[in-house]
Amino acid sequence: MSASPLAKSIASFAIRAHRPRALPAIPTLVTTVPRRSAAVAVPDDHVSRSAQEPLVEINSLPLQDAVKARGPRNTWTREEIAAIYDTPLMDLVYNASTVHRRFHDPSQVQLCTLLSIKTGGCTEDCSYCAQSSRYDTGLKASKLVTIGSVLKAARMARDNGSTRFCMGAAWRDMKGRKSNLRDIKEMIKEVRGMGMEVCVTLGMLDDAQAKELKEAGLTAYNHNVDTSREFYPSVISTRSYDERLNTIDNVSQAGISVCSGGILGLGENKEDHIGLVYTLATLPKHPESVPINTLVPIPGTPLGDNKPIEFKSVLRTIATARIVMPKSIVRLAAGRITLSEEKQAMCFMAGANAIFTGDKMLTTDCTSWDEDKDLLEGWGLRPMKSFERETGNPEMIDSQLETDLEKEGSSALFGTERSFKQVKLETGTSA
């Protein structure tokens, strides 16, 4: 398999970064990074290094283990994830790219389109959301859209290259919504009949509702955990962290792929980025896809005046997620429209391999299909086909051995068997 221009670019950069240069020696300071016991040698400008210094001077065993791993594991400690997250940025991106090439075709990007099928009027108090009835955002509540309008939107998405069609409804849960559930199941069946993957996000689900969606042909269910357990109560009070985990459990038990990620820029710090990845990477099974959103400030919401998050934090989170959840799809989600083409390319280098594309993403603006076609073509990337999950370099990972290990439930591939109860106990109790 020939390398894409994007893969060649990062390989070339990494070679130049490792090449000795005739630079004057730079004094270093030895500091201790929080949550890590080993000392770290940090140049006082945090970028330049003397010619004879190694590229990375940290206790990088967690990173080394992750890069060499034959498959996912869910026994990560928070300290291990912190050590990976704190790796010097370009080295972190380079290693994330290495992991990405082992488990995925780096030239492929999944194109997803997200349609709002019921807008506004939600009773939840999510501080970032335009659709909450608690805030004056100028958005009016609507009823569930017709099946015909959904199929029209799905055909347009498919004809423009999208292979996963997602539908979102603004409500807390599916209780008492039997007629809506019936219509949504019909939407799922019809869109699936077009040869597309289908994802929905409908709030909290019980196990019976999850089974009904599975029987209708649902591919994936989105239910984000949003942020770390510790910071979560600062953002939402009407739904607990454990209620989110319960829905994820119901979806997983029904045999539906889990789509779960978070939002950056809510006012959190790097410890919360680490905590977000820790929650996802220690689930009994890693999410099939991990959307990384950046806050789109909505006037009228409590977070409407938040400043944009630094891009380096976004890149670190994507790279860390790719390294510790190697087989998951990592999706650039809300807020991508604010990123330059070069920043998006850096995210692809760091392991992102999916985007939302189209006219709208729920109620916010999205990059158009034509713009994204130009973006992918310019960087030597191509759309992933529906239900396509190609392994990267067959010389680097024995896919048959991986399959055998998976059938055996080997701890070498997945780590110790864990339950959602264990996840809740280990990550603390919700507020």
Side-chain angles (χ1 to χ4, degrees):
M1 179 183 299
S2 61
S4 69
L6 189 59
K8 291 178 181 177
S9 296
I10 191 168
S12 175
F13 183 93
I15 291 170
R16 295 196 300 272
H18 283 74
R19 182 178 297 150
R21 293 168 292 170
L23 297 177
I26 298 173
T28 60
L29 302 175
V30 177
T31 61
T32 301
V33 176
R35 297 184 180 273
R36 189 192 299 152
S37 58
V40 181
V42 182
D44 55 6
D45 70 349
H46 207 77
V47 177
S48 302
R49 300 175 177 85
S50 69
Q52 301 305 317
E53 287 178 10
L55 183 65
V56 183
E57 296 188 44
I58 62 172
N59 180 4
S60 56
L61 283 177
L63 180 58
Q64 292 174 8
D65 290 345
V67 171
K68 294 177 182 178
R70 300 195 67 85
R73 68 179 177 98
N74 58 3
T75 56
W76 293 101
T77 67
R78 195 171 184 131
E79 289 73 22
E80 287 175 320
I81 293 175
I84 292 171
Y85 184 94
D86 286 330
T87 300
L89 185 54
M90 285 311 300
D91 201 59
L92 177 64
V93 171
Y94 175 72
N95 281 283
S97 177
T98 300
V99 172
H100 185 52
R101 291 196 306 274
R102 291 191 70 188
F103 294 95
H104 303 267
D105 180 342
S107 70
Q108 290 183 335
V109 176
Q110 184 188 62
L111 303 185
C112 314
T113 296
L114 175 54
L115 175 71
S116 178
I117 58 174
K118 193 278 175 189
T119 304
C122 182
T123 60
E124 300 273 45
D125 67 353
C126 306
S127 299
Y128 51 79
C129 188
Q131 305 199 64
S132 172
S133 61
R134 299 168 183 251
Y135 313 128
D136 184 11
T137 63
L139 189 68
K140 295 183 179 180
S142 70
K143 295 182 179 181
L144 190 71
V145 300
T146 64
I147 296 175
S149 64
V150 167
L151 299 184
K152 180 180 178 181
R155 289 189 193 97
M156 180 180 293
R158 182 195 60 188
D159 294 345
N160 279 281
S162 293
T163 55
R164 176 171 288 195
F165 189 74
C166 309
M167 297 175 280
W171 50 50
R172 171 181 167 81
D173 54 40
M174 291 297 296
K175 290 181 179 178
R177 303 184 188 278
K178 291 184 178 180
S179 61
N180 287 332
L181 182 58
R182 182 187 64 245
D183 290 344
I184 291 170
K185 289 193 297 181
E186 188 62 27
M187 294 173 187
I188 292 169
K189 292 176 182 177
E190 293 291 335
V191 175
R192 185 68 182 264
M194 296 181 187
M196 302 182 77
E197 299 178 20
V198 189
C199 178
V200 297
T201 178
L202 308 171
M204 291 187 288
L205 288 182
D206 60 32
D207 55 352
Q209 292 162 345
K211 290 175 183 177
E212 285 192 61
L213 292 174
K214 171 64 176 178
E215 292 170 359
L218 186 65
T219 308
Y221 192 90
N222 169 258
H223 202 65
N224 293 333
V225 296
D226 283 354
T227 185
S228 70
R229 181 183 283 275
E230 293 78 11
F231 189 70
Y232 183 87
S234 302
V235 182
I236 304 161
S237 69
T238 52
R239 186 189 314 186
S240 74
Y241 210 68
D242 286 332
E243 285 178 314
R244 289 184 180 267
L245 291 177
N246 286 340
T247 291
I248 292 172
D249 188 19
N250 290 336
V251 168
S252 183
Q253 292 295 329
I256 300 170
S257 294
V258 171
C259 171
S260 186
I263 308 171
L264 309 183
L266 301 174
E268 76 286 351
N269 58 38
K270 78 166 191 175
E271 294 299 324
D272 299 306
H273 301 162
I274 293 165
L276 166 65
V277 175
Y278 172 67
T279 294
L280 299 172
T282 57
L283 290 172
K285 184 176 182 180
H286 291 168
E288 177 261 356
S289 53
V290 178
I292 302 296
N293 301 269
T294 56
L295 178 69
V296 178
I298 304 296
T301 65
L303 301 183
D305 295 325
N306 274 31
K307 294 181 179 179
I309 188 169
E310 184 182 31
F311 173 68
K312 291 178 183 177
S313 297
V314 179
L315 192 61
R316 282 189 179 277
T317 304
I318 289 171
T320 303
R322 165 54 63 223
I323 289 169
V324 302
M325 293 177 282
K327 293 184 70 175
S328 298
I329 288 174
V330 178
R331 182 173 294 110
L332 274 177
R336 182 174 69 91
I337 195 171
T338 66
L339 299 180
S340 68
E341 182 175 308
E342 292 77 14
K343 287 181 177 179
Q344 292 182 64
M346 284 296 294
C347 292
F348 294 138
M349 287 182 180
N353 59 341
I355 57 174
F356 280 110
T357 183
D359 296 329
K360 284 281 187 180
M361 180 182 168
L362 293 179
T363 61
T364 61
D365 290 334
C366 191
T367 309
S368 71
W369 285 294
D370 288 340
E371 289 177 280
D372 282 331
K373 288 174 185 175
D374 290 341
L375 170 71
L376 298 188
E377 182 177 348
W379 291 93
L381 303 171
R382 68 177 179 86
M384 185 184 297
K385 297 178 182 178
S386 294
F387 309 103
E388 182 178 22
R389 301 288 185 274
E390 286 192 14
T391 300
N393 186 343
E395 296 179 359
M396 297 181 68
I397 181 166
D398 187 332
S399 58
Q400 183 57 51
L401 176 59
E402 179 187 349
T403 301
D404 293 341
L405 288 171
E406 185 172 344
K407 289 179 179 178
E408 295 171 8
S410 169
S411 61
L413 184 64
F414 292 109
T416 306
E417 184 69 23
R418 291 155 50 77
S419 66
F420 275 86
K421 183 177 181 181
Q422 286 174 299
V423 172
K424 294 174 186 177
L425 289 173
E426 292 170 13
T427 59
T429 56
S430 61

